[in-house]
Amino acid sequence: VIGNGGSQTAFIVLTWNTIATSTFSHYVIRYKVATHTYYQYVDSQATTITINGLVPNTSYNFGIASENKSGAQSAFSADISSTTGSDSVAPATVTGVSASAGIQYVIIEWTHNTETDLASYNIYQNTANNSGTATLIGNCRTNYFISGGLTGGTPYYFWIKAVDTSTNVSAAFSTVATATPTNVQSVDI
Protein backbone atom coordinates (compact mmCIF):
# COMPACT_ATOMS: atom_id res chain seq x y z
CA VAL A 1 0.00 0.00 0.00
CA ILE A 2 1.35 3.44 -0.86
CA GLY A 3 0.59 5.90 1.93
CA ASN A 4 0.68 9.68 2.17
CA GLY A 5 3.83 11.14 0.69
CA GLY A 6 4.58 7.96 -1.27
CA SER A 7 5.70 5.91 1.75
CA GLN A 8 5.13 2.15 1.68
CA THR A 9 2.98 0.38 4.28
CA ALA A 10 1.58 -3.11 4.56
CA PHE A 11 -1.56 -4.70 5.95
CA ILE A 12 -2.73 -8.02 7.37
CA VAL A 13 -6.22 -9.53 7.12
CA LEU A 14 -7.21 -11.67 10.13
CA THR A 15 -10.19 -14.05 10.11
CA TRP A 16 -11.47 -16.26 12.93
CA ASN A 17 -14.52 -18.33 13.98
CA THR A 18 -17.64 -16.67 15.39
CA ILE A 19 -18.52 -16.85 19.08
CA ALA A 20 -22.27 -17.40 19.37
CA THR A 21 -23.51 -16.51 22.87
CA SER A 22 -26.16 -14.09 24.05
CA THR A 23 -23.61 -12.32 26.30
CA PHE A 24 -21.02 -11.67 23.55
CA SER A 25 -20.06 -8.00 23.07
CA HIS A 26 -16.96 -7.79 20.83
CA TYR A 27 -13.53 -9.19 19.98
CA VAL A 28 -10.25 -7.65 21.12
CA ILE A 29 -7.34 -8.04 18.70
CA ARG A 30 -3.79 -7.48 19.88
CA TYR A 31 -0.73 -7.18 17.63
CA LYS A 32 2.92 -6.19 17.81
CA VAL A 33 6.15 -6.41 15.88
CA ALA A 34 7.47 -9.84 16.85
CA THR A 35 10.68 -8.44 18.36
CA HIS A 36 8.88 -5.75 20.40
CA THR A 37 7.43 -6.05 23.89
CA TYR A 38 4.19 -4.04 23.83
CA TYR A 39 0.99 -4.79 21.93
CA GLN A 40 -1.46 -2.47 20.23
CA TYR A 41 -5.16 -3.26 20.65
CA VAL A 42 -8.16 -2.95 18.36
CA ASP A 43 -11.82 -3.87 18.96
CA SER A 44 -14.08 -5.48 16.35
CA GLN A 45 -17.54 -7.02 16.24
CA ALA A 46 -16.84 -8.74 12.92
CA THR A 47 -14.82 -11.95 12.51
CA THR A 48 -12.55 -10.39 9.88
CA ILE A 49 -10.38 -7.34 10.32
CA THR A 50 -7.79 -5.58 8.18
CA ILE A 51 -4.96 -4.01 10.14
CA ASN A 52 -3.34 -1.26 8.07
CA GLY A 53 -0.21 0.83 8.51
CA LEU A 54 2.17 -2.06 9.17
CA VAL A 55 5.82 -2.08 8.11
CA PRO A 56 6.54 -4.18 4.98
CA ASN A 57 8.64 -7.34 5.28
CA THR A 58 8.29 -7.40 9.08
CA SER A 59 7.17 -10.24 11.37
CA TYR A 60 4.14 -9.49 13.58
CA ASN A 61 2.37 -11.45 16.35
CA PHE A 62 -1.45 -11.43 16.55
CA GLY A 63 -3.86 -12.68 19.22
CA ILE A 64 -7.64 -12.53 19.68
CA ALA A 65 -9.85 -12.51 22.78
CA SER A 66 -13.58 -11.99 23.26
CA GLU A 67 -15.31 -9.69 25.70
CA ASN A 68 -18.83 -10.13 27.09
CA LYS A 69 -21.46 -7.47 27.77
CA SER A 70 -20.31 -7.26 31.41
CA GLY A 71 -16.76 -6.34 30.34
CA ALA A 72 -15.19 -9.69 31.25
CA GLN A 73 -12.53 -10.66 28.72
CA SER A 74 -11.40 -14.16 27.78
CA ALA A 75 -7.75 -15.11 27.61
CA PHE A 76 -6.06 -14.24 24.33
CA SER A 77 -5.56 -16.99 21.80
CA ALA A 78 -2.03 -18.22 21.31
CA ASP A 79 -0.25 -15.66 19.17
CA ILE A 80 0.07 -16.39 15.50
CA SER A 81 2.98 -14.92 13.55
CA SER A 82 2.86 -13.51 10.07
CA THR A 83 5.33 -11.54 7.99
CA THR A 84 3.93 -8.67 5.97
CA GLY A 85 4.59 -8.52 2.26
CA SER A 86 7.64 -6.81 0.85
CA ASP A 87 7.74 -4.03 -1.69
CA SER A 88 9.99 -3.12 -4.59
CA VAL A 89 10.01 0.65 -4.09
CA ALA A 90 13.42 1.99 -3.09
CA PRO A 91 13.72 4.72 -0.45
CA ALA A 92 14.24 8.30 -1.59
CA THR A 93 17.73 9.72 -2.05
CA VAL A 94 19.21 10.86 1.27
CA THR A 95 19.51 14.65 1.63
CA GLY A 96 21.18 17.16 3.92
CA VAL A 97 24.51 15.34 4.17
CA SER A 98 27.36 17.13 5.95
CA ALA A 99 30.76 16.13 7.31
CA SER A 100 32.81 17.55 10.20
CA ALA A 101 36.45 16.58 10.79
CA GLY A 102 38.28 15.93 14.04
CA ILE A 103 41.57 14.28 14.97
CA GLN A 104 41.71 11.29 12.60
CA TYR A 105 37.92 10.99 12.40
CA VAL A 106 34.97 12.50 10.53
CA ILE A 107 31.37 12.78 11.73
CA ILE A 108 28.87 12.46 8.88
CA GLU A 109 25.28 13.67 9.44
CA TRP A 110 22.17 13.75 7.23
CA THR A 111 18.43 14.36 7.27
CA HIS A 112 16.32 11.34 8.22
CA ASN A 113 14.24 9.87 5.39
CA THR A 114 10.49 9.78 6.02
CA GLU A 115 9.58 6.32 4.66
CA THR A 116 7.65 4.25 7.20
CA ASP A 117 9.55 1.12 6.15
CA LEU A 118 13.01 2.68 6.52
CA ALA A 119 15.43 0.21 8.11
CA SER A 120 18.92 1.77 8.01
CA TYR A 121 21.52 3.74 6.07
CA ASN A 122 24.62 2.60 4.17
CA ILE A 123 27.66 4.88 4.48
CA TYR A 124 30.23 5.02 1.66
CA GLN A 125 33.71 6.56 1.79
CA ASN A 126 36.45 7.38 -0.69
CA THR A 127 39.63 9.47 -0.85
CA ALA A 128 38.56 10.68 -4.31
CA ASN A 129 35.36 12.51 -5.20
CA ASN A 130 33.98 9.44 -7.00
CA SER A 131 30.95 7.58 -5.59
CA GLY A 132 31.41 4.83 -8.20
CA THR A 133 34.60 3.60 -6.51
CA ALA A 134 33.55 4.40 -2.93
CA THR A 135 33.73 1.67 -0.29
CA LEU A 136 30.79 0.73 1.93
CA ILE A 137 32.21 1.41 5.42
CA GLY A 138 29.16 0.98 7.62
CA ASN A 139 25.44 0.68 8.16
CA CYS A 140 23.47 2.38 10.93
CA ARG A 141 19.92 3.24 12.00
CA THR A 142 20.74 6.76 13.16
CA ASN A 143 21.22 9.86 11.02
CA TYR A 144 24.91 10.19 11.85
CA PHE A 145 28.02 8.05 11.57
CA ILE A 146 31.61 8.41 12.82
CA SER A 147 34.38 7.22 10.53
CA GLY A 148 37.52 6.77 12.60
CA GLY A 149 41.13 5.75 12.11
CA LEU A 150 41.55 8.17 9.22
CA THR A 151 44.79 9.75 8.00
CA GLY A 152 45.17 13.39 9.04
CA GLY A 153 45.57 15.83 6.16
CA THR A 154 43.80 13.55 3.66
CA PRO A 155 40.44 14.71 2.29
CA TYR A 156 37.67 12.10 2.62
CA TYR A 157 34.42 12.01 0.65
CA PHE A 158 31.19 10.46 1.94
CA TRP A 159 27.84 9.40 0.45
CA ILE A 160 24.75 7.88 2.05
CA LYS A 161 22.06 5.52 0.73
CA ALA A 162 18.85 4.53 2.57
CA VAL A 163 17.77 0.89 2.98
CA ASP A 164 14.18 -0.21 3.70
CA THR A 165 12.79 -3.29 5.46
CA SER A 166 12.42 -5.05 2.08
CA THR A 167 16.18 -4.49 1.49
CA ASN A 168 15.55 -1.96 -1.28
CA VAL A 169 18.39 0.59 -1.47
CA SER A 170 18.14 4.20 -2.68
CA ALA A 171 18.75 4.31 -6.43
CA ALA A 172 21.05 7.32 -6.18
CA PHE A 173 23.83 8.28 -3.80
CA SER A 174 23.28 11.35 -1.65
CA THR A 175 25.18 14.48 -2.56
CA VAL A 176 28.80 14.28 -1.51
CA ALA A 177 30.08 15.59 1.82
CA THR A 178 33.79 16.07 2.37
CA ALA A 179 36.05 16.77 5.32
CA THR A 180 39.78 16.58 6.06
CA PRO A 181 40.71 15.18 9.48
CA THR A 182 43.80 16.40 11.33
CA ASN A 183 46.61 14.57 13.07
CA VAL A 184 47.42 15.04 16.74
CA GLN A 185 49.42 18.23 17.19
CA SER A 186 51.32 19.57 20.19
CA VAL A 187 48.44 21.93 21.03
CA ASP A 188 46.19 18.85 21.38
CA ILE A 189 48.39 17.30 24.08
Side-chain angles (χ1 to χ4, degrees), residues 46-174:
T47 57
T48 298
I49 188 169
T50 301
I51 300 177
N52 292 303
L54 304 178
V55 177
N57 199 36
T58 301
S59 179
Y60 284 85
N61 294 337
F62 301 91
I64 299 171
S66 63
E67 191 169 305
N68 68 22
K69 293 177 182 175
S70 300
Q73 184 175 308
S74 72
F76 278 93
S77 65
D79 276 355
I80 60 166
S81 295
S82 183
T83 299
T84 53
S86 59
D87 69 58
S88 59
V89 178
T93 301
V94 177
T95 62
V97 181
S98 64
S100 304
I103 299 172
Q104 297 181 328
Y105 71 89
V106 172
I107 299 173
I108 308 99
E109 297 179 279
W110 56 91
T111 303
H112 262 305
N113 280 35
T114 58
E115 291 88 359
T116 56
D117 63 338
L118 183 71
S120 61
Y121 297 94
N122 286 339
I123 298 86
Y124 300 85
Q125 174 181 296
N126 203 344
T127 54
N129 189 0
N130 182 349
S131 62
T133 60
T135 302
L136 175 63
I137 60 164
N139 177 275
C140 66
R141 294 181 179 200
T142 60
N143 67 329
Y144 66 91
F145 185 83
I146 301 171
S147 179
L150 304 178
T151 303
T154 300
Y156 288 88
Y157 300 86
F158 301 91
W159 298 265
I160 312 298
K161 283 190 172 187
V163 182
D164 69 17
T165 57
S166 298
T167 67
N168 299 309
V169 179
S170 302
F173 284 98
S174 67

Side-chain angles (χ1 to χ4, degrees), residues 2 5 8 16 31 33 35 58 79 91 111 113 136 138 151 168 178 182:
I2 298 179
Q8 300 289 312
W16 57 93
Y31 65 97
V33 172
T35 58
T58 301
D79 276 355
T111 303
N113 280 35
L136 175 63
T151 303
N168 299 309
T178 186
T182 60

